Amino acid sequence: MNIKELILKLALEQGKIKTSDVVKAIDSTKSRQHVNSVIRSMVSNGLLLKGGATAGSFYVLPQNVHLIGNEVTVKLKREGLEEHKIFNDLKEKAPFINELKENISSVLFYAFTEMLNNAIEHSRSRYVEISIRKDEKDITFIIRDFGVGVFRNVMQERKLKSPLEAIQDLLKGKTTTQPHSHAGEGIFFTSKVADIFILESFGHRLRIDNTIKDIFIEELAPQKKGTKVIFVLSLGSKKHLADVFNQFVTEPGEVGFDKTEIKVRLYASGTVYISRSQARRILAGLNKFKTIILDFDRVTTVGQAFADEIFRVFQQKYPDIEVVPINMAESVQFMVDRVEKPAHLK
């Protein structure tokens, strides 16, 4: 009996098995590392399903999916994957997905397929790891690849100076490294429909917490290759996809994504004075929108050059675009009001 046959036999007899069970059964004739390698291959080929995480990981036969409970993990070869087929396959392996409310199910399907599609088409990773779980409060999925990294990819393709600039561009929407085949809306809208949305890649983390309406950008150590996406949605959420999409349309009833919102503080680089060059960074690529909401929350003051660049120079160049400042402190309002507005705005 080879090791694969032994693993299948143990899984049939015990229901749930762990790596340590297999190592014990073969009496240490093979290393734990070798056993792990065989098990990972069996998971990739659909012979086993993975439950739990890290030290709590266990494995079951596909016919014993009910033993997994409310979590399932798979590792798949990226090439040739189709995101909607993977989601449907997970629904069979994780029956709890079918028990979700209609609006939660729709949001989950949209977010999952958008993020998996990104990994399939952009990561150049050999494998993709997928985990989906439900607890008492939330439904969560994690998609991880081991490829080029989302921030580095955007940075390189758009010739940006740093991962931070790549994060800033992703937050605007309509940012893509394949404009001929992608609209660049996936990450933007997925981050809006989530309660918590996290992107981690090569030592940088973007965390969007819509429960408190805030965004955090952090540096991580050690750096890990590839991209990790974490999506969390409350089981009690009232969100509907159409409502979220409509928030970013200038005219109600129109079809399209022509409105965006920018948090100015993410471009401040640690200083209260914001320059003309920083204003240009904010404005880069925004000529694709009809309406731009500039959120000045927690920005205590801005430079005259910054205000002039946005509210005079940009508005003269793009008179059909509406720039709407919100949450301005008194000092910011003062600088914006001082700008000599273009004639069409007077």
Side-chain angles (χ1 to χ4, degrees):
M1 182 182 299
N2 62 35
I3 188 169
K4 185 181 292 186
E5 292 170 339
L6 175 62
I7 291 170
L8 292 173
K9 181 174 181 291
L10 288 173
L12 183 62
E13 293 173 350
Q14 299 180 23
K16 293 182 181 181
I17 61 169
K18 303 186 75 170
T19 302
S20 57
D21 297 326
V22 182
V23 173
K24 183 178 179 181
I26 61 177
D27 198 24
S28 301
T29 56
K30 298 287 184 181
S31 70
R32 186 182 185 92
Q33 183 178 10
H34 178 73
V35 172
N36 271 324
S37 176
V38 174
I39 289 177
R40 284 197 300 269
S41 174
M42 294 175 72
V43 171
S44 296
N45 291 320
L47 297 175
L48 292 174
L49 299 179
K50 182 181 178 182
T54 60
S57 296
F58 61 90
Y59 306 90
V60 303
L61 296 173
Q63 63 262 36
N64 291 330
V65 62
H66 61 281
L67 297 176
I68 287 181
N70 289 340
E71 180 171 3
V72 64
T73 301
V74 295
K75 184 174 182 178
L76 306 168
K77 286 187 176 180
R78 177 190 60 84
E79 190 172 353
L81 291 181
E82 296 181 62
E83 59 272 13
H84 65 285
K85 290 184 178 179
I86 299 303
F87 186 81
N88 289 335
D89 187 43
L90 284 174
K91 288 174 71 175
E92 293 183 9
K93 295 175 179 176
F96 61 84
I97 297 176
N98 298 301
E99 300 168 1
L100 299 172
K101 294 188 298 182
E102 189 278 330
N103 68 307
I104 303 295
S105 180
S106 296
V107 169
L108 180 67
F109 176 78
Y110 170 81
F112 179 90
T113 53
E114 286 288 342
M115 293 303 94
L116 182 54
N117 178 265
N118 276 356
I120 293 170
E121 299 201 7
H122 300 291
S123 72
R124 302 198 286 275
S125 174
R126 186 176 181 187
Y127 291 99
V128 178
E129 284 186 353
I130 301 167
S131 175
I132 187 164
R133 67 175 180 267
K134 180 171 79 78
D135 58 27
E136 293 180 357
K137 299 188 301 180
D138 304 312
I139 184 82
T140 301
F141 72 74
I142 300 173
I143 297 175
R144 185 179 177 198
D145 66 64
F146 308 89
V148 297
V150 58
F151 306 138
R152 288 187 176 186
N153 195 27
V154 171
M155 183 176 68
Q156 292 166 3
E157 292 294 328
R158 294 176 62 81
K159 297 179 172 55
L160 303 175
K161 296 178 181 178
S162 69
L164 176 59
E165 289 192 359
I167 291 172
Q168 292 168 343
D169 270 21
L170 285 169
L171 289 171
K172 295 175 182 177
K174 295 193 178 184
T175 296
T176 177
T177 58
Q178 296 180 2
H180 59 285
S181 58
H182 286 266
E185 301 176 5
I187 289 176
F188 181 87
F189 279 114
T190 299
S191 74
K192 300 299 181 185
V193 298
D195 284 337
I196 296 174
F197 177 79
I198 299 172
L199 274 181
E200 294 180 2
S201 183
F202 285 97
H204 292 84
R205 174 191 287 152
L206 167 64
R207 177 185 173 93
I208 299 175
D209 190 334
N210 291 318
T211 66
I212 58 174
K213 294 181 170 52
D214 212 345
I215 297 174
F216 306 89
I217 299 173
E218 306 164 282
E219 291 191 11
L220 306 173
Q223 293 190 11
K224 292 185 178 180
K225 183 179 181 181
T227 301
K228 183 178 182 180
V229 179
I230 303 174
F231 176 95
V232 183
L233 183 65
S234 167
L235 295 174
S237 175
K238 305 297 184 183
K239 292 179 181 177
H240 289 268
L241 283 175
D243 295 337
V244 176
F245 292 154
N246 286 337
Q247 292 176 30
F248 299 94
V249 176
T250 299
E251 295 293 335
E254 284 189 357
V255 177
F257 169 32
D258 63 6
K259 181 178 179 181
T260 191
E261 182 172 324
I262 307 297
K263 290 190 178 293
V264 175
R265 68 180 176 84
L266 298 179
Y267 296 78
S269 300
T271 175
V272 295
Y273 185 86
I274 301 180
S275 68
R276 191 178 294 273
S277 62
Q278 287 170 313
R280 290 173 183 153
R281 268 296 305 142
I282 291 177
L283 296 168
L286 294 184
N287 57 305
K288 294 175 285 190
F289 297 93
K290 289 183 179 179
T291 304
I292 302 165
I293 309 295
L294 290 182
D295 186 351
F296 285 89
D297 181 47
R298 280 178 273 175
V299 176
T300 56
T301 188
V302 298
Q304 182 275 332
F306 170 86
D308 184 71
E309 186 69 27
I310 291 177
F311 296 101
R312 184 183 65 84
V313 177
F314 182 81
Q315 291 276 249
Q316 279 184 335
K317 188 174 182 180
Y318 301 103
D320 295 331
I321 297 177
E322 182 182 17
V323 179
V324 182
I326 62 172
N327 296 326
M328 290 188 290
E330 187 175 344
S331 56
V332 175
Q333 179 82 59
F334 174 77
M335 295 303 293
V336 171
D337 289 346
R338 286 188 62 194
V339 173
E340 180 68 23
K341 306 292 193 304
H344 73 281
L345 294 177
K346 291 181 179 179

